[in-house]
């Protein structure tokens, strides 16, 4: 496991809380604002940063993250550009874990070996690639693990007992429990179902299990983090970007400050101080 | 061990759903258990005589199979070369080949105890066929269709609504077939336990490319038998149009090991390959991963998908079935293309000379036929898959013909 990811969970554990992970798309709405948003995440006490690699056809994402991808692409973001943003982040923030999340095609076209070498060199800790199930492990999971990057798996309500060992077998870093059967940002799961799923999944792995999809408020983040090893928030953060764009479609100072404020509230929620 | 697959083009895919490097199962984990269920249910059904019997019953009495193999005398005289036969799948109930596959998948869904169906559609033919099967088998039907296609294929939207289906216009992306498929997949992810997704073409995650091909292969099996009856020998050339490629795969597959049969797949060249405004994934694309499979795609150097362009909503797709990609790599099938304008001319020619109004999709194939058939000997035989009828296209085609002073 990446040392940074391990340390982040250990630190949160020492404080008696789960981790807070926040997702934003690289280059949304532009490269410069995107870097400033990442800085704001760190200063607002995010434990793990998930940086989306924009893709034209994000088939597991809801409208908010689809729109974020399109804004980033329209602003000229590429996979090379995403790796540059990651590299800059790592230079400014040596300790915060950084995970790249996205779809396989841009990586495949960039070249798997070249991508893994550059991602490692840039200081990326792990990868989440939505459309690569264990059945396709030789495509990216195996070479990524060999290159020292964690390959973080999504586990879903449809991953039953027969399926879990297959899904978790090649997982590393942490396990991302998708709390709803659905796409990102659309609906929310009940606390009880998160607890039941956590019990089921954590019994099948030694890795930390965090909850995501449909977590929109500090209260929900707090609940998910108390019922599992952490909470991940994406769409609700990305929507703040969509609602605070300048007339030219680029970011403004308040784009960053509003995200910092909201994420600060999420962090308090996860620390058990919400409401 | 000797790999018998090397001796045949008809034994793909492998157990991972790969056709050479193409195909596979590139889907989110939420869908994986479902896809595995579909695969095992299909495996069981495909060796079950009862399933075959039930499907054959509906093919005969409901669809009207076998479709005729018709000697197109006037087109043959017009081109002055080989004899042209039309495989008349446009005469099927609902007006296209799509129903062949839909009935198979709907019966499979029924076997699996699923009564709610999802489908994507481009030209609307697959949507209409799915809505039809759902009415027949008392299933709920939800069809995802790009809003641009809803506009240009209005008669089919009306048909689906009349048949009791709910049509969801898709506004994301460019509002065409690719976006309809994204949205159908998203909807399936959210309703994975209750719904069956009837994919309309030989694409998507394994086992769809294989399953759809198998259901469509009835076209080629019939054509093979019919041409042997009519001419006492196999054709020299067979031709079909390709969007995702299901009608073509259905015609081609039973002929793949007949090495004397030359095969052409005709993609949509839109406003011309150099213009960049086309839907020719093999001629103008590169291998990539989209919609659950690896295949040739229209994409930029960063791996972002480029919108396809074609006058025909049914061909307007930036990918192609993975088996076509493999047959292209293996050079077993020749993939060529025809432009919007060439298809329009063929549309009119076939209507005038044969009294058959073809869909815009096979009009592309007929246009290509016009470029090779004249060079063939008069005793040679060419079969074209007339995979759909053109009633649905009149709204789009008539103004274009009038504008060009051709009507």
């Amino acid at each position: 496991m990446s040392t940074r990811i391990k340390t982040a969970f250990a630190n949160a554990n020492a404080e008696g809380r789960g981790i807070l992970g926040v997702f934003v798309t690289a280059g949304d709405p532009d490269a410069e604002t995107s870097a400033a948003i990442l800085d704001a995440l760190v200063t607002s006490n995010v434990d793990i940063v998930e940086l989306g690699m924009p893709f034209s056809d994000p088939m597991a994402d809801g409208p908010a993250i689809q729109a974020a991808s399109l804004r980033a692409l329209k602003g000229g973001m590429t996979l090379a550009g995403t790796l540059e943003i990651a590299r800059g982040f790592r230079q400014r923030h040596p300790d915060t874990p950084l995970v790249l999340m996205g779809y396989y095609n841009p990586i495949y076209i960039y070249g798997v070996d070249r991508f893994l070498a550059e991602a490692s060199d840039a200081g990326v800790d792990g990868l989440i690639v939505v459309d690569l199930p264990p059945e396709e492990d030789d495509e990216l999971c195996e070479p990524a693990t060999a290159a020292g990057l964690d390959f973080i798996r999504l586990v879903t309500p449809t991953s039953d007992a027969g399926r879990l060992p297959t899904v978790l077998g090649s997982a590393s870093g942490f396990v991302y429990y998708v709390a709803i059967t659905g796409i990102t940002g659309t609906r929310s799961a009940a606390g009880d179902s998160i607890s039941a799923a956590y019990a089921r999944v954590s019994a099948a792995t030694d890795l930390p299990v965090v909850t995501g999809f449909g977590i929109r408020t500090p209260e929900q983040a707090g609940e998910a983090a108390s019922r599992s090893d952490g909470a991940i928030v994406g769409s609700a953060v990305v929507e703040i970007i969509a609602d605070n764009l300048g007339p030219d479609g680029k970011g403004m100072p308040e784009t960053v400050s509003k995200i910092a404020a909201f994420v600060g509230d999420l962090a308090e929620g996860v620390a058990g101080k919400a409401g | 061990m000797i790999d018998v697959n090397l001796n045949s083009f008809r034994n793909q895919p492998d157990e991972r759903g790969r056709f050479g490097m193409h195909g596979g199962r590139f889907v989110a984990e939420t869908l994986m258990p479902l896809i595995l269920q579909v695969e095992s249910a299909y495996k069981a059904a495909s060796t079950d005589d009862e399933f075959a019997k039930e499907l054959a019953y509906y093919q005969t009495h409901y669809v009207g199979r076998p479709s005729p193999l018709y000697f197109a005398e006037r087109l043959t005289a017009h081109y002055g070369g080989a004899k042209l036969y039309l495989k008349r799948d446009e005469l099927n109930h609902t007006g296209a080949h799509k129903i062949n596959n839909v009935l198979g998948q709907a019966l499979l869904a029924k076997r699996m105890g699923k009564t709610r169906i999802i489908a994507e559609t481009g030209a609307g033919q697959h949507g209409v066929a799915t809505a039809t099967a759902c009415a027949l088998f008392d299933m709920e039907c939800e069809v995802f269709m790009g809003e641009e296609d809803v506009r240009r294929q209005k008669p089919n939207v009306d048909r689906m609504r009349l048949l009791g289906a709910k049509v969801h216009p898709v506004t994301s992306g460019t509002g065409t077939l690719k976006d309809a498929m994204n949205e159908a997949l998203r909807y399936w992810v959210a309703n994975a336990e209750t719904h069956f997704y009837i994919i309309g073409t030989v694409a998507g995650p394994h086992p769809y490319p294989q399953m759809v091909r198998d259901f469509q292969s009835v076209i080629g099996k019939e054509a093979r038998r019919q041409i042997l009856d009519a001419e006492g020998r196999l054709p020299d050339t067979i031709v079909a149009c390709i969007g995702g490629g299901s009608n073509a795969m259905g015609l081609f597959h039973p002929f793949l090991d007949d090495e004397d049969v030359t095969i052409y797949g005709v993609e949509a060249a839109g406003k011309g390959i150099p213009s960049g405004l086309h839907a020719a994934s093999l001629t103008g694309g590169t291998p990539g991963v989209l919609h659950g499979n690896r295949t040739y795609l229209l994409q930029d150097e960063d791996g972002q998908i480029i919108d396809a362009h074609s006058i025909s909503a049914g061909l307007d797709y930036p990918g192609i079935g993975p088996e076509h990609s493999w047959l292209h790599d293996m050079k077993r099938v020749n993939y060529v293309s025809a432009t919007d304008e060439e298809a329009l001319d063929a549309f009119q020619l076939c209507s005038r000379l044969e009294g058959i109004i073809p869909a815009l999709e096979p009009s592309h194939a007929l246009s290509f036929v016009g470029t090779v058939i004249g060079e063939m000997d008069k005793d040679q035989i060419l079969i074209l898959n007339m995979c759909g009828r053109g009633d649905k296209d009149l709204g789009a085609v008539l103004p274009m013909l009038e504008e060009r002073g051709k009507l």
Side-chain angles (χ1 to χ4, degrees):
Chain A
M1 198 197 290
S2 130
T3 315
R4 289 188 201 99
I5 290 178
K6 209 179 226 169
T7 306
F9 279 99
N11 289 347
N13 199 31
E15 293 171 21
R17 61 176 180 89
I19 64 100
L20 171 65
V22 167
F23 171 95
V24 290
T25 300
D28 174 27
D30 58 82
E32 204 180 313
T33 311
S34 188
I37 289 171
L38 294 181
D39 292 345
L41 298 185
V42 176
T43 51
S44 304
N45 297 319
V46 164
D47 299 297
I48 297 180
V49 171
E50 283 185 23
L51 185 61
M53 301 174 276
F55 182 45
S56 54
D57 292 77
M59 67 178 190
D61 282 300
I65 293 176
Q66 288 174 43
S69 245
L70 293 179
R71 281 195 299 274
L73 292 174
K74 209 172 157 198
M77 191 41 57
T78 59
L79 187 52
T82 301
L83 289 166
E84 271 318 296
I85 290 176
R87 186 181 297 278
F89 175 87
R90 180 55 68 227
Q91 283 162 359
R92 298 191 303 279
H93 309 286
D95 302 325
T96 309
L98 179 66
V99 171
L100 295 182
M101 180 166 184
Y103 296 81
Y104 184 41
N105 196 53
I107 297 170
Y108 178 68
I109 295 305
Y110 199 75
V112 165
D113 292 342
R114 177 184 167 208
F115 170 77
L116 291 175
E118 293 183 15
S120 296
D121 190 55
V124 170
D125 298 291
L127 303 175
I128 304 177
V129 183
V130 179
D131 54 353
L132 284 177
E135 280 74 5
E136 306 292 350
D137 266 356
D138 54 343
E139 296 281 339
L140 184 65
C141 174
E142 289 164 13
T145 310
L149 291 168
D150 285 337
F151 202 81
I152 294 143
R153 286 267 179 232
L154 300 177
V155 170
T156 71
T158 59
S159 314
D160 59 18
R163 176 94 187 139
L164 270 182
T166 310
V167 179
L168 296 171
S170 50
S172 46
F174 59 90
V175 175
Y176 187 144
Y177 178 66
V178 175
I180 52 160
T181 308
I183 53 178
T184 51
T186 47
R187 52 185 174 189
S188 305
D192 290 351
S193 76
I194 294 175
S195 293
Y198 179 73
R200 189 167 70 86
V201 178
S202 57
T205 179
D206 294 333
L207 297 172
V209 179
V210 306
T211 309
F213 279 44
I215 298 174
R216 307 190 56 87
T217 66
E219 291 73 21
Q220 287 171 339
E223 174 152 40
S226 68
R227 289 175 183 269
S228 67
D229 297 318
I232 297 179
V233 183
S235 296
V237 175
V238 162
E239 281 166 13
I240 296 173
I241 301 178
D243 293 341
N244 292 280
L245 294 174
D248 54 356
K250 293 196 171 180
M252 302 184 295
E254 54 264 46
T255 319
V256 181
S257 61
K258 284 187 178 169
I259 286 178
F262 177 66
V263 171
D265 291 346
L266 291 175
E268 293 209 340
V270 166
K273 296 174 198 156
Chain B
M1 202 170 74
I2 294 166
D3 185 357
V4 288
N5 286 356
L6 291 176
N7 298 323
S8 174
F9 288 103
R10 303 184 62 226
N11 290 339
Q12 304 284 320
D14 67 15
E15 71 284 356
R16 293 179 68 187
R18 297 291 181 95
F19 302 86
M21 67 177 277
H22 302 285
R25 287 178 287 218
F26 296 89
V27 296
E29 175 57 27
T30 312
L31 290 181
M32 255 335 280
L34 279 111
I35 284 170
L36 294 172
Q37 274 173 30
V38 172
E39 185 184 347
S40 79
Y42 177 61
K43 220 178 245 173
S46 60
T47 55
D48 180 349
D49 289 345
E50 282 307 307
F51 183 79
K53 226 184 267 175
E54 194 177 8
L55 181 56
Y57 171 85
Y58 286 106
Q59 281 174 345
T60 306
H61 301 286
Y62 191 71
V63 176
R65 302 211 71 92
S67 67
L69 184 69
Y70 171 70
F71 173 49
E73 206 173 345
R74 295 198 67 209
L75 277 170
T76 298
H78 171 81
Y79 291 127
K83 290 169 121 177
L84 173 62
Y85 280 85
L86 303 178
K87 179 60 176 162
R88 305 272 320 262
D89 256 52
E90 101 282 7
L91 290 176
N92 293 343
H93 179 44
T94 69
H97 68 290
K98 293 291 186 186
I99 191 83
N100 302 329
N101 162 52
V102 165
L103 281 178
Q105 287 196 53
L107 287 172
L108 185 67
K110 211 171 116 193
R111 266 172 83 100
M112 294 173 72
K114 308 255 181 184
T115 56
R116 296 162 133 192
I117 302 295
I118 306 166
E120 86 295 337
T121 197
Q125 292 303 108
H126 175 59
V128 168
T130 306
T132 298
C134 288
L136 177 65
F137 298 130
D138 190 21
M139 293 166 154
E140 266 178 51
C141 182
E142 306 201 48
V143 180
F144 293 82
M145 185 171 188
E147 65 170 359
E148 163 74 9
D149 291 338
V150 168
R151 188 186 58 71
R152 57 180 168 175
Q153 305 287 341
K154 187 171 183 304
N156 275 342
V157 175
D158 292 340
R159 270 181 207 116
M160 287 185 265
R161 289 171 54 215
L162 192 62
L163 290 160
K166 183 167 190 309
V167 179
H168 297 269
V170 174
T171 54
S172 60
T174 45
T176 57
L177 182 52
K178 147 183 108 82
D179 307 295
M181 194 143 179
N182 284 333
E183 218 48 50
L185 284 164
R186 288 183 186 119
Y187 191 83
W188 199 25
V189 166
N191 298 278
E193 305 277 8
T194 49
H195 287 59
F196 187 98
Y197 181 13
I198 299 188
I199 295 182
T201 192
V202 286
H206 179 62
Y208 282 95
Q210 175 187 7
M211 180 165 69
V212 176
R213 174 200 74 199
D214 291 349
F215 289 137
Q216 290 294 1
S217 291
V218 66
I219 300 172
K221 286 179 195 157
E222 286 176 7
R224 211 166 185 286
R225 201 170 59 232
Q226 289 166 320
I227 199 68
L228 288 172
D229 285 349
E231 297 279 352
R233 66 181 190 88
L234 292 177
D236 300 281
T237 300
I238 59 177
V239 183
C241 65
I242 299 191
S246 72
N247 91 84
M249 223 41 253
L251 176 67
F252 297 169
H253 196 257
F255 290 99
L256 287 177
D257 287 337
D258 300 308
E259 54 184 47
D260 293 337
V261 177
T262 303
I263 307 179
Y264 291 100
V266 185
E267 298 189 289
K271 295 188 188 302
I273 304 289
S275 74
L277 297 171
H278 60 83
S281 323
L282 290 177
T283 315
T286 50
V289 174
L290 179 71
H291 293 158
N293 59 170
R294 178 166 26 228
T295 193
Y296 281 81
L297 299 173
L298 302 181
Q299 56 185 330
D300 67 16
E301 57 190 17
D302 193 42
Q304 309 297 338
I305 308 306
I306 295 173
D307 292 315
H309 169 87
S310 171
I311 188 176
S312 146
L315 303 181
D316 205 347
Y317 180 67
I320 185 169
E323 191 162 13
H324 286 296
S325 291
W326 176 70
L327 291 167
H328 174 68
D329 290 351
M330 300 298 289
K331 303 191 188 325
R332 172 62 187 101
V333 176
N334 309 290
Y335 292 92
V336 295
S337 62
T339 64
D340 289 349
E341 292 296 330
E342 289 164 345
L344 264 182
D345 288 343
F347 184 96
Q348 203 172 16
L349 181 74
C350 186
S351 302
R352 291 273 171 89
L353 288 188
E354 295 290 349
I356 295 169
I357 301 174
L360 277 170
E361 291 78 12
S363 298
H364 284 75
L366 180 61
S367 162
F368 170 76
V369 165
T371 67
V372 291
I373 194 169
E375 308 299 315
M376 296 171 68
D377 291 339
K378 285 191 189 313
D379 59 353
Q380 289 192 297
I381 300 164
L382 186 151
I383 295 176
L384 165 77
N385 198 12
M386 183 55 70
C387 60
R389 58 179 174 239
D391 314 36
K392 69 180 174 64
D393 295 316
L394 297 189
V397 167
L398 291 185
M400 297 177 84
L401 289 177
E402 280 164 1
E403 197 180 295
R404 287 159 178 73
K406 289 178 174 173
L407 197 70

